[in-house]
Amino acid sequence: MTTAVPAFWSPRIAALEPYVPGEQPRIANLVKLNTNENPYPPSPLAVDAIQQAAADGLERYPDPTSLALREAVARRHSLTVEQVFAGNGSDEVLAHAFFAFFQQAEPLLMPDVSYSFYKVYAQLYGIACEVQPVDAGLRVDIEAIAVRARNGCAGIVIANPNAPTGIGLPLSQIERLLAACPDRVVLVDEAYVDFGGESALPLIDKYPNLLVVQTLSKSRSLAGLRVGFACGQQHLIDALVRVKDSFNSYPLDRLATAGAVAALEDEAWFNTTRDKIVDTREGLHLQLEDLGFEVLPSQTNFVLARHPQRDAAELAALLRERAVLVRHFKQPRIAQYLRISIGTREQCSALVQALQAILGAQ
């Protein structure tokens, strides 16, 4: 069997720097706080729905329009089904959106500290990017982006709350961007909005250039199922459908659709698990500060923290030796920070105990 060699690759693929996902190791008694997964299982109703779907109908293709899921999203957010697009995880939805809207003659605008997949999509599709630095507190500089947008751009993409900082923006600032960029799409990635952020979904009818992307991976505990969706006015959704049907007409299988619909309908389970994560996040924030960490305010299911006297990469390595995984990024502005996913109370206590041992040994 031969392996691919650069001589056979297209120039764009040879130059591509792919996204690096969080580590998924198999370590005994692992405390896994590195990939922002929900520490609680999905709704029992979702599990039941998946099992029922597995028992009947897998010999047939799924609904190419994912109508049942789109109807469930529309019901929950007071939208029409024509305003909802569904895809295989929010990453696929984002990729389709980049292809559909941002291949323009001008650069795409985004913060310099944000979800690193955005730059990968842009490189893959040959989209020029222009990054705007976040401020000294690692907050997105909305005014600077708005001023730049008025001079022409391919669009704007931001995560709100931002990743990996966890800091959220109020709707007034999202509207600032929408008004500054009326002729191009403003994409708001709300992967973490359910943990305390303010969703832009209520603005959809008002702004024809707004596209909001969400996922069921985080707050619905369905990271293993891969379900995401986008919401916007119908002309934006129609463009995403054109891309989907030129790539994969059946992105969501029967199991994913059944589980996602049931998870969206189980509001009680969602509220209970979400509230546990938020409460644990606030407690962990205080515990980390007691250990000397500087912790950014978070509206997500993770915190970003640094210790003024300890190197972040070293801390991550020492934690790994104790079977505790956190995420360390090598990006210059956040290289001294650790992104710590919010686990159960017991998992976060294990993290704190490991940090106490490491810091006490210095």
Side-chain angles (χ1 to χ4, degrees), residues 223-234:
L225 210 57
R226 314 310 302 130
V227 178
F229 59 89
C231 300
Q233 292 188 16
Q234 186 174 351

Side-chain angles (χ1 to χ4, degrees), residues 31-35 325-327 339-343 347 351:
V31 177
K32 191 172 183 299
L33 304 176
N34 67 321
T35 51
L325 290 189
V326 297
R327 191 79 187 267
R339 194 196 66 188
I340 304 169
S341 305
I342 305 302
Q347 289 171 329
L351 164 75

Side-chain angles (χ1 to χ4, degrees), residues 11 39 43 61 65 78 144 158 164 166 195 212 216 226 246 254 292 345 348:
S43 160
Y61 282 110
T65 70
S78 300
I158 62 168
F195 299 103
V212 178
L216 273 67
R226 314 310 302 130
S246 302
R254 288 175 176 267
R345 289 185 183 275
C348 290

Side-chain angles (χ1 to χ4, degrees), residues 14-15 26 57 99 105 125 130 134 146 179 220 226 238 265-266 284 287 296 316 338 360:
R26 297 180 179 178
F99 193 87
Y125 296 134
E130 188 172 314
V134 295
R220 294 317 194 286
R226 314 310 302 130
D238 288 346
E265 292 176 346
D266 194 347
L284 180 61
Q287 288 176 300
L296 297 186
L338 297 176

Side-chain angles (χ1 to χ4, degrees), residues 56-134:
D56 181 29
L58 290 185
E59 71 277 9
R60 299 185 182 278
Y61 282 110
D63 174 11
T65 70
S66 302
L67 180 60
L69 174 57
R70 290 165 52 230
E71 287 176 337
V73 172
R75 282 194 302 272
R76 189 174 194 281
H77 297 294
S78 300
L79 300 169
T80 67
V81 70
E82 293 81 13
Q83 294 175 317
V84 182
F85 173 85
N88 191 290
S90 62
D91 285 336
E92 180 186 80
V93 175
L94 289 166
H96 288 345
F98 271 62
F99 193 87
F101 305 119
F102 298 144
Q103 296 187 94
Q104 307 285 350
E106 297 165 306
L108 173 64
L109 306 183
M110 65 183 72
D112 66 332
V113 177
S114 194
Y115 185 29
S116 55
F117 225 143
Y118 300 152
K119 292 179 182 178
V120 177
Y121 298 136
Q123 189 181 20
L124 177 64
Y125 296 134
I127 299 168
C129 289
E130 188 172 314
V131 297
Q132 177 64 46
V134 295

